[in-house]
Structures are given as structure tokens and as C-alpha cells.
Amino acid sequence: MCELPSAGRGRSAAQWLAARSDADKRALYDHGLDAAPPPLLASETAVDPEMRKKQAQQNFRRARQLIEEKDYHPAVEMLREAVRFVPDNAEFRYTLSQVELKNPNWIDQGLNNLKEAARLDSRRVGLSVEAARVLLEHQRAHEAEPFARRAVSLDPSPENELLLQQVLDAAAAAPAPRSETPAEPKPDAETAPSTAPSGLLSRLFRHRG
């Protein structure tokens, strides 16, 4: 147990505690985590799904603030924790993918989270289009094809038809994919497009040039 310094050394116990508190607060501020929600104990979140959702939402809101400030590393950590708490939230996955794709070391994680977001929210045209475009840009045409086909089934616009043709051409010219079974969706002609997202995600959902 840590002993408090005696008053005879120039500071009272109260003064020492106040200085220590200020130093701790300053350390948190310097690391950019002073505004982060306090972590929950693993046992707390494991037995209370609502608490897990609440913590995930807190992490997500804070991560969005950090993204606006271009402080990406702590944003990624908070988003990954949010996904760990609520793995079937497409919005969490999509936002995490956009930050991960900014870092060359996180490309695979970013693509996987983008695909999973599009799979989870299969009725949203923008997600399927985004997944197809980004996968095509990273020379993964075979993985992009199911998303491009779904985009056309949801919205057979000239732009989506063109995207599908570009993906098919690239897939025909690319080597056969490795023997693996990624979690891509199957086209669903009965699905209908949903409205476009708003706020931060509306900016992230813009078509790439």
C-alpha cells in the first residue's frame, strides 16, 4: 500500500492528494481519453446485454468525435470495442471499416468489416455499392461480385449496372480466388433499397470517384 508523504516534507496529505489527482487528470487528457466513457468490468457486461449496448453506443459516439478530430488510433480502439460488444451492428462495422482502410496495416480488417456491414444491412444499396467499389479498388473482384450483383438487384440504375460490368470484367481477368468461403451475401431480388444514412455516415457513403 502506498504511503502518503508526511506534512513535515513540505506538503500536507490533502495537498499531496490534490496534486496527485491533478497529475492523473492531466495524464488522461494528454492521452486523449479524458472524455472517454469509463470502462465496464467484463463480468458486468457479460451478464447484462443492455449494459453492453449502452457501452457500445458510448464508445461509438466518442469514436465519431475522434474521427472528426482526425485522431484515428483511439477511434479504432473504441470502435473495435463497440463491435466486440455488439457484433451485429452494421453502422459500427461500417464506420470502423472506414477508419481501418485509412491505414495500410489495417486493410484486411477494414475490408472484412465493410463486407460484414453490407451483409448485416443487406437492404441498403449504398453499403453494397461501397463494398463492391472498395473491393474492386483493392483487386478483389471475385469478392466484389456478390455485392455488385446485389446492388443491381436493389437498384438497377445505369451506375450500378456499370459497376457490375466493371467487376465482372476484372473478375474474368483475375486469377481464380483461393479456396476459402468468405461471408459474402447472395443477391436477393425481393429486397428493397432503404433510405440513405444521415450525419457522419452520409458523408462516408459518398460514391468514390
Side-chain angles (χ1 to χ4, degrees), residues 167-190:
V167 169
L168 292 175
D169 291 344
R178 293 172 294 180
S179 57
E180 55 184 322
T181 55
E184 270 90 30
K186 294 181 180 179
D188 185 356
E190 297 181 0

Side-chain angles (χ1 to χ4, degrees), residues 3 26-27 34-35 53-54 58 80-81 85 89 96 102 114 130 133 136 139 148 152 158 166 170 176 185 193:
E3 295 183 0
R26 181 62 186 178
D34 58 317
K53 291 179 181 179
K54 180 179 179 181
Q58 289 177 337
R80 286 175 177 172
E81 190 72 359
F85 284 151
N89 187 298
L96 174 57
K102 294 178 181 294
L114 178 57
E130 181 77 0
R133 286 183 182 278
L136 182 60
Q139 291 78 50
V152 170
Q166 291 172 335

Side-chain angles (χ1 to χ4, degrees), residues 149-170:
R149 290 188 181 279
R150 172 184 282 169
V152 170
S153 73
L154 293 170
D155 178 18
S157 65
E159 293 81 8
N160 291 342
E161 293 279 4
L162 176 60
L163 175 60
L164 175 58
Q165 189 58 55
Q166 291 172 335
V167 169
L168 292 175
D169 291 344

Side-chain angles (χ1 to χ4, degrees), residues 108 111-116 119 135 140-147 150 176-186:
D108 287 340
L111 293 175
N112 287 337
N113 278 309
L114 178 57
K115 290 190 295 182
E116 185 64 9
R119 186 189 70 79
L135 287 164
R140 302 193 184 191
H142 291 286
E143 296 176 53
E145 183 177 343
F147 297 100
R150 172 184 282 169
R178 293 172 294 180
S179 57
E180 55 184 322
T181 55
E184 270 90 30
K186 294 181 180 179

Side-chain angles (χ1 to χ4, degrees), residues 90 94 114 117-119 121-122 124-132 147 205:
Y94 178 79
L114 178 57
R119 186 189 70 79
D121 196 352
S122 60
R124 182 167 290 176
V125 182
L127 272 175
S128 293
V129 170
E130 181 77 0
F147 297 100
F205 267 100

